[in-house]
Amino acid sequence: QDNSISIWSVRDLGNGGLDGDYQGEPQLLCDVRHNGDVMDMQFLDQERIVVASSTGAVTVFRHHQNNQTLSANQRWEKAHYHVDQNTSGGAACTGVICSNPEIVTVGEDGRINHFRADQKDAVRTIDNADSSTLHAVTFLRTTEILTVNSIGQLKIWDLRQQRNEPSQIFSLTGDRVPLHCVDRHPNQQHIVATGGQDGMLSIWDIRQGTMPVSLLNAHEAEMWEVHFHPSNPDHLFTCSEDGSLWHWDTSTDVSEKPSFLHQGGRSTTYFSHNTINQSVISAWLSNDPTKDHMEITNLIPNQTLSVNSLDVLGPCLVYGTDAEAIYVNRQLFA
């Protein structure tokens, strides 16, 4: 019934960096009450956190580091609602993504909101963006977003266009399995990963076709979150209701894998120097990455309760489970 937003320190504040041998417990720095379930949250900048609520509200909290307190800085009360903003109850805001100062939210009401930090009114709202629940959203580039919904569709929206239709629709063929999460490759904007109710990992190339490039058997229950490593994108992380958290590693040397060079039916061995880690691109887009020695490690061997959320930075992985615990793994690449 009572929920809160908390800021924790996972390092010895005297010793600086995230890596190193600090083994102490995470320290609670401050917390603040939150109305409704916390559905999603993301840092907007060093001090501000944008939080999505099951009440339909979207709140920006500010972390005051000088006296370690949290306070609501800005709130859009009924960003998401079912019938009428003035009378009806809110609809859950299911996802939020930030690219300071831009904030985009999606919800159970199929609505997309584009807010700007420090502006009271929405920059834009697409009211009937989707007839089903939108579960997650990510930026493709500064003016384009990607959403995933409860009938297995991935849609691209151009925020510059005034029309309220997506510029492209992709879908999983067949069963219309709900998609719960989406992440974009940090260097190659056309590569996107999604996960959903059947626990499968789907890799998409949004430049071609309307179906995933590869479907990989993963978890035995819903996949709740998928993340490319922000600086090592040949590493990907997924977590699930089945209590597992998988580390997918495609970082084997490209010279050992000639199959990666056969793309689009023509063999190419030319690498331009301005492309970041060419093997990464090819690895995720290979027709069956698993047969090219993709390594998959379950980081929680004796799984029990659902792993609901994860994030990754440098050598650190943080995740939260139904045990109401936060875990920090500091030796991802050890």
Side-chain angles (χ1 to χ4, degrees):
Q1 295 301 306
D2 298 316
N3 299 305
S4 60
I5 305 291
S6 311
I7 301 267
W8 298 78
S9 167
V10 293
R11 61 194 169 99
D12 181 349
L13 290 167
N15 286 345
L18 277 171
D19 26 16
D21 301 325
Y22 172 65
Q23 294 299 328
E25 291 283 304
Q27 298 293 313
L28 177 63
L29 298 180
C30 52
D31 57 8
V32 65
R33 271 202 65 226
H34 180 267
N35 226 347
D37 294 344
V38 176
M39 305 297 286
D40 196 11
M41 60 180 171
Q42 200 188 24
F43 276 99
L44 178 67
D45 55 26
Q46 290 290 325
E47 295 185 332
R48 291 178 295 176
I49 305 123
V50 183
V51 181
S53 171
S54 59
T55 66
V58 176
T59 310
V60 183
F61 289 95
R62 187 179 286 275
H63 175 213
H64 307 275
Q65 295 175 3
N66 50 358
N67 61 357
Q68 291 304 343
T69 56
L70 271 165
S71 64
N73 182 235
Q74 188 170 9
R75 180 175 287 128
W76 295 281
E77 200 60 59
K78 288 249 181 93
H80 295 273
Y81 54 91
H82 278 302
V83 189
D84 169 10
Q85 202 164 12
N86 300 320
T87 56
S88 71
C93 176
T94 51
V96 56
I97 193 78
C98 307
S99 177
N100 192 7
E102 316 298 328
I103 300 166
V104 174
T105 70
V106 295
E108 263 177 18
D109 52 359
R111 191 173 269 109
I112 297 173
N113 291 305
H114 176 194
F115 297 112
R116 206 162 272 141
D118 305 324
Q119 280 187 24
K120 190 165 145 280
D121 297 320
V123 178
R124 180 163 179 214
T125 294
I126 305 176
D127 274 328
N128 299 310
D130 212 301
S131 54
S132 62
T133 295
L134 289 168
H135 281 143
V137 59
T138 192
F139 275 102
L140 203 51
R141 37 182 79 81
T142 45
T143 55
E144 279 185 312
I145 56 165
L146 266 174
T147 58
V148 292
N149 69 12
S150 59
I151 54 171
Q153 292 173 322
L154 195 154
K155 298 182 182 180
I156 298 181
W157 305 82
D158 187 336
L159 297 174
R160 293 165 303 187
Q161 298 291 334
Q162 281 315 301
R163 55 195 193 95
N164 294 340
E165 270 88 46
S167 50
Q168 273 178 284
I169 301 178
F170 303 83
S171 61
L172 293 167
T173 45
D175 302 335
R176 300 196 153 223
V177 175
L179 290 171
H180 290 304
C181 51
V182 58
D183 196 28
R184 186 207 81 202
H185 190 290
N187 309 332
Q188 305 297 323
Q189 269 109 338
H190 54 276
I191 301 178
V192 172
T194 63
Q197 190 167 307
D198 57 2
M200 298 277 279
L201 172 65
S202 310
I203 305 290
W204 311 70
D205 180 348
I206 57 172
R207 298 170 305 181
Q208 54 189 39
T210 57
M211 296 185 325
V213 180
S214 53
L215 283 167
L216 301 167
N217 271 315
H219 304 280
E220 286 163 27
E222 292 90 344
M223 186 190 294
W224 291 131
E225 198 124 36
V226 57
H227 275 297
F228 284 101
H229 191 289
S231 52
N232 282 336
D234 38 3
H235 297 267
L236 178 89
F237 299 86
T238 60
C239 65
S240 167
E241 179 72 29
D242 67 10
S244 59
L245 194 164
W246 286 15
H247 174 184
W248 306 70
D249 176 6
T250 61
S251 64
T252 328
D253 182 20
V254 74
S255 62
E256 298 167 24
K257 299 184 174 182
S259 61
F260 280 178
L261 305 179
H262 299 287
Q263 280 188 303
R266 63 180 192 275
S267 165
T268 142
T269 50
Y270 166 72
F271 291 143
S272 62
H273 292 292
N274 59 2
T275 314
I276 303 168
N277 199 342
Q278 189 86 23
S279 65
V280 175
I281 310 167
S282 319
W284 288 116
L285 294 186
S286 133
N287 289 340
D288 179 8
T290 45
K291 75 169 184 289
D292 295 301
H293 319 297
M294 179 192 286
E295 279 187 64
I296 302 166
T297 316
N298 182 7
L299 299 176
I300 315 175
N302 45 359
Q303 47 192 292
T304 46
L305 298 167
S306 172
V307 183
N308 301 321
S309 188
L310 73 92
D311 205 358
V312 61
L313 185 68
C316 284
L317 170 80
V318 59
Y319 58 96
T321 76
D322 268 359
E324 297 186 14
I326 301 165
Y327 299 88
V328 182
N329 175 338
R330 304 165 167 282
Q331 286 148 347
L332 270 189
F333 305 111

